[in-house]
Amino acid sequence: MTTSSVIHVVEDDQPMRDSLVELLEDAGYAVRAYSRAEELLARDAALEPGCIVSDVRMPGIDGLTLLQRLRTSGSSLPLMLITGHGDVSMAVRAMKAGAINFLEKPFEADALLSAIDEALRNSSGKVVEDADLAHQRLLKLTPREQEVFGHLVTGRSNKEIAARMHISPRTVEFHRAHIMEKTGAKGVPDLVRLSLAGQQPKSSK
């Protein structure tokens, strides 16, 4: 696939950065790579339209702060976070701040390319959930599932949820699977978007 969009990769780990650049260039994208968020921010208005793929934890400015700086400066470039295990809660906060998505390392190449394609197809850089549809999907959940859902969208792990609800991690996983099935969500990012939309008032018809 050939595209005029530029993918800006912000990753302090050189082998990972080189791997991402190779993957994206093979997919037909023009790529700019940065070892630190400060390098991307220094380009300011010179940033080409496209999408930003940034690691979460980096020396200096981290991925969440990068997102906040970009939004404060008026940039609407969609930003996706890639994160190691243990960074999920931070990535969830970033989504609530306007990130398009997040992927946990290690991730499949197709998952990254699909998420980038989704971001580029939406001019606002965010997947917008319809409030009425979100309310309908959330009504499918039992009270217990709604409780688990509330913990999931804050970024808590199955083990943490189990401890808070005084149930086993296996039971949490059971509820989680039912939540995914009932809402049609593919992962925690979808659940976060659903939660945000569900907090909006339903339209009057």
Side-chain angles (χ1 to χ4, degrees), residues 127-164:
V127 177
V128 180
E129 285 279 356
D130 177 82
D132 290 340
L133 180 58
H135 282 283
Q136 292 173 16
R137 293 165 72 186
L138 291 173
L139 283 174
K140 296 178 182 179
L141 305 181
T142 66
R144 198 62 161 168
E145 289 167 350
Q146 290 177 359
E147 187 176 357
V148 173
F149 175 86
H151 288 299
L152 286 172
V153 297
T154 64
R156 295 192 176 104
S157 67
N158 288 354
K159 185 176 180 180
E160 291 171 328
I161 296 171
R164 285 175 175 268

Coordinates of all heavy atoms in Angstrom, one line a residue, residues 127-164:
V127 N -11.3 7.3 17.1 CA -12.5 6.5 16.8 C -13.6 6.9 17.6 O -13.6 6.9 18.9 CB -12.2 5.0 17.0 CG1 -13.4 4.2 16.7 CG2 -11.0 4.5 16.1
V128 N -14.6 7.5 17.0 CA -15.7 8.1 17.8 C -16.9 7.0 18.0 O -17.3 6.4 17.0 CB -16.3 9.3 17.0 CG1 -17.5 9.9 17.8 CG2 -15.2 10.3 16.8
E129 N -17.2 6.8 19.2 CA -18.3 5.9 19.5 C -19.6 6.7 19.6 O -19.7 7.8 20.1 CB -18.1 5.2 20.9 CG -17.1 4.1 20.8 CD -17.6 2.8 20.3 OE1 -18.9 2.8 20.1 OE2 -16.9 1.9 20.1
D130 N -20.7 6.2 19.0 CA -22.0 6.8 19.1 C -22.5 6.6 20.6 O -22.5 5.5 21.1 CB -23.0 6.2 18.1 CG -24.4 6.7 18.3 OD1 -24.6 7.8 17.7 OD2 -25.2 6.1 18.9
A131 N -23.0 7.7 21.2 CA -23.4 7.6 22.6 C -24.6 6.6 22.8 O -24.6 5.8 23.7 CB -23.8 8.9 23.2
D132 N -25.6 6.7 21.9 CA -26.7 5.8 22.1 C -26.3 4.3 21.9 O -26.8 3.5 22.7 CB -27.8 6.2 21.0 CG -28.4 7.5 21.3 OD1 -28.4 8.0 22.4 OD2 -29.0 8.1 20.3
L133 N -25.5 4.1 20.9 CA -25.0 2.7 20.7 C -24.2 2.2 21.9 O -24.3 1.0 22.3 CB -24.2 2.6 19.4 CG -23.6 1.2 19.0 CD1 -24.8 0.3 18.9 CD2 -22.8 1.3 17.7
A134 N -23.4 3.1 22.4 CA -22.6 2.7 23.6 C -23.4 2.3 24.8 O -23.2 1.3 25.4 CB -21.6 3.9 23.9
H135 N -24.5 3.1 25.0 CA -25.4 2.8 26.1 C -26.1 1.5 25.9 O -26.2 0.7 26.8 CB -26.5 3.9 26.2 CG -26.0 5.1 26.9 ND1 -25.8 5.2 28.3 CD2 -25.6 6.3 26.4 CE1 -25.3 6.5 28.6 NE2 -25.2 7.1 27.5
Q136 N -26.5 1.2 24.6 CA -27.1 -0.1 24.3 C -26.2 -1.3 24.6 O -26.6 -2.3 25.1 CB -27.6 -0.1 22.9 CG -28.7 0.9 22.6 CD -29.0 1.0 21.1 OE1 -28.6 0.1 20.3 NE2 -29.8 2.0 20.7
R137 N -24.9 -1.1 24.2 CA -24.0 -2.2 24.3 C -23.7 -2.4 25.8 O -23.5 -3.6 26.3 CB -22.7 -1.8 23.6 CG -22.8 -1.8 22.1 CD -21.7 -1.2 21.4 NE -20.5 -2.0 21.4 CZ -19.3 -1.5 21.0 NH1 -19.2 -0.3 20.4 NH2 -18.2 -2.3 21.0
L138 N -23.6 -1.3 26.6 CA -23.3 -1.5 28.0 C -24.5 -2.1 28.8 O -24.3 -2.7 29.8 CB -22.9 -0.1 28.6 CG -21.6 0.5 28.1 CD1 -21.3 1.9 28.6 CD2 -20.4 -0.5 28.6
L139 N -25.7 -1.9 28.3 CA -26.8 -2.4 29.0 C -26.9 -3.9 28.9 O -27.6 -4.6 29.7 CB -28.1 -1.8 28.4 CG -28.5 -0.4 28.8 CD1 -29.7 0.1 28.0 CD2 -28.8 -0.4 30.3
K140 N -26.1 -4.5 28.0 CA -26.1 -6.0 27.8 C -25.3 -6.6 29.0 O -25.4 -7.8 29.2 CB -25.4 -6.4 26.5 CG -26.1 -5.9 25.3 CD -25.3 -6.3 24.0 CE -26.0 -5.8 22.8 NZ -25.2 -6.2 21.6
L141 N -24.5 -5.8 29.7 CA -23.7 -6.4 30.8 C -24.5 -6.6 32.1 O -25.4 -5.8 32.4 CB -22.5 -5.5 31.1 CG -21.6 -5.1 29.9 CD1 -20.5 -4.2 30.3 CD2 -21.1 -6.4 29.2
T142 N -24.2 -7.7 32.8 CA -24.8 -7.9 34.1 C -24.1 -6.9 35.1 O -23.1 -6.3 34.8 CB -24.6 -9.3 34.6 OG1 -23.2 -9.5 34.8 CG2 -25.0 -10.3 33.6
P143 N -24.8 -6.7 36.3 CA -24.1 -5.8 37.3 C -22.7 -6.3 37.6 O -21.8 -5.4 37.8 CB -25.1 -6.0 38.5 CG -26.4 -6.3 37.9 CD -26.1 -7.1 36.7
R144 N -22.5 -7.6 37.7 CA -21.1 -8.0 38.0 C -20.2 -7.7 36.9 O -19.0 -7.3 37.1 CB -21.1 -9.5 38.2 CG -19.9 -10.1 39.0 CD -19.8 -9.5 40.3 NE -19.0 -10.4 41.2 CZ -18.5 -10.0 42.4 NH1 -18.9 -8.8 42.9 NH2 -17.8 -10.8 43.1
E145 N -20.6 -7.9 35.6 CA -19.8 -7.6 34.5 C -19.5 -6.1 34.4 O -18.4 -5.7 34.0 CB -20.5 -8.1 33.2 CG -20.4 -9.6 33.1 CD -21.4 -10.1 32.0 OE1 -22.2 -9.3 31.5 OE2 -21.3 -11.3 31.7
Q146 N -20.5 -5.3 34.7 CA -20.3 -3.8 34.7 C -19.2 -3.4 35.8 O -18.5 -2.5 35.5 CB -21.6 -3.1 35.0 CG -22.6 -3.2 33.9 CD -24.0 -2.6 34.2 OE1 -24.2 -2.1 35.3 NE2 -24.9 -2.6 33.3
E147 N -19.2 -4.1 36.9 CA -18.2 -3.9 37.9 C -16.8 -4.2 37.4 O -15.9 -3.4 37.6 CB -18.5 -4.6 39.2 CG -17.6 -4.3 40.4 CD -18.0 -5.0 41.6 OE1 -19.0 -5.8 41.6 OE2 -17.3 -4.8 42.6
V148 N -16.7 -5.3 36.7 CA -15.4 -5.7 36.1 C -15.0 -4.8 35.0 O -13.8 -4.3 34.9 CB -15.5 -7.2 35.6 CG1 -14.2 -7.5 34.8 CG2 -15.7 -8.2 36.7
F149 N -16.0 -4.4 34.2 CA -15.7 -3.4 33.2 C -15.2 -2.1 33.7 O -14.2 -1.6 33.2 CB -17.1 -3.1 32.4 CG -17.0 -2.0 31.4 CD1 -16.6 -2.3 30.1 CD2 -17.3 -0.7 31.7 CE1 -16.6 -1.3 29.1 CE2 -17.3 0.3 30.8 CZ -16.9 0.0 29.5
G150 N -15.7 -1.6 34.8 CA -15.2 -0.4 35.4 C -13.8 -0.5 35.8 O -13.0 0.5 35.7
H151 N -13.4 -1.7 36.3 CA -12.0 -1.8 36.7 C -11.1 -2.0 35.5 O -10.0 -1.4 35.4 CB -11.8 -3.1 37.5 CG -12.4 -3.0 38.9 ND1 -11.9 -2.1 39.8 CD2 -13.4 -3.7 39.6 CE1 -12.6 -2.2 41.0 NE2 -13.5 -3.2 40.8
L152 N -11.5 -2.6 34.4 CA -10.7 -2.8 33.2 C -10.4 -1.5 32.6 O -9.3 -1.3 32.1 CB -11.5 -3.7 32.2 CG -11.6 -5.2 32.5 CD1 -12.6 -5.9 31.5 CD2 -10.2 -5.9 32.5
V153 N -11.3 -0.6 32.5 CA -11.1 0.7 31.8 C -10.2 1.6 32.6 O -9.9 2.7 32.1 CB -12.4 1.3 31.4 CG1 -13.2 0.5 30.4 CG2 -13.3 1.7 32.6
T154 N -9.9 1.3 33.8 CA -8.9 2.1 34.6 C -7.5 1.5 34.4 O -6.6 2.1 35.0 CB -9.3 2.1 36.1 OG1 -9.2 0.8 36.6 CG2 -10.7 2.7 36.3
G155 N -7.4 0.4 33.7 CA -6.1 -0.2 33.4 C -5.7 -1.2 34.4 O -4.5 -1.6 34.4
R156 N -6.6 -1.7 35.3 CA -6.2 -2.7 36.3 C -6.0 -4.1 35.7 O -6.8 -4.4 34.8 CB -7.2 -2.7 37.5 CG -7.3 -1.5 38.3 CD -8.1 -1.6 39.6 NE -8.0 -0.4 40.3 CZ -9.0 0.5 40.4 NH1 -10.1 0.2 39.8 NH2 -8.9 1.5 41.2
S157 N -5.1 -4.8 36.2 CA -4.9 -6.2 35.7 C -5.9 -7.1 36.3 O -6.6 -6.8 37.2 CB -3.5 -6.7 36.1 OG -3.4 -6.8 37.5
N158 N -6.0 -8.3 35.7 CA -7.0 -9.3 36.2 C -6.7 -9.6 37.7 O -7.6 -9.8 38.5 CB -6.8 -10.6 35.4 CG -7.4 -10.5 34.0 OD1 -8.0 -9.5 33.7 ND2 -7.3 -11.5 33.2
K159 N -5.4 -9.7 38.0 CA -5.0 -10.0 39.4 C -5.5 -8.9 40.4 O -6.0 -9.2 41.5 CB -3.5 -10.2 39.5 CG -3.0 -10.7 40.9 CD -1.5 -10.9 40.8 CE -1.0 -11.4 42.2 NZ 0.5 -11.7 42.2
E160 N -5.3 -7.7 39.9 CA -5.7 -6.5 40.8 C -7.2 -6.5 40.9 O -7.7 -6.2 42.0 CB -5.2 -5.2 40.1 CG -3.7 -5.0 40.2 CD -3.2 -3.8 39.4 OE1 -3.8 -3.5 38.4 OE2 -2.2 -3.2 39.8
I161 N -7.9 -6.8 39.8 CA -9.4 -6.8 39.9 C -9.9 -7.9 40.8 O -10.8 -7.7 41.6 CB -10.0 -7.0 38.5 CG1 -9.6 -5.8 37.6 CG2 -11.5 -7.1 38.5 CD1 -10.0 -6.0 36.1
A162 N -9.2 -9.0 40.7 CA -9.6 -10.2 41.6 C -9.5 -9.8 43.0 O -10.3 -10.1 43.9 CB -8.8 -11.4 41.2
A163 N -8.4 -9.2 43.4 CA -8.1 -8.8 44.8 C -9.2 -7.8 45.3 O -9.7 -7.9 46.4 CB -6.7 -8.2 44.9
R164 N -9.5 -6.8 44.4 CA -10.5 -5.8 44.8 C -11.9 -6.4 44.9 O -12.7 -5.9 45.8 CB -10.5 -4.6 43.8 CG -9.3 -3.7 43.9 CD -9.2 -2.7 42.8 NE -8.1 -1.8 43.0 CZ -8.2 -0.6 43.7 NH1 -9.3 -0.2 44.2 NH2 -7.1 0.2 43.8

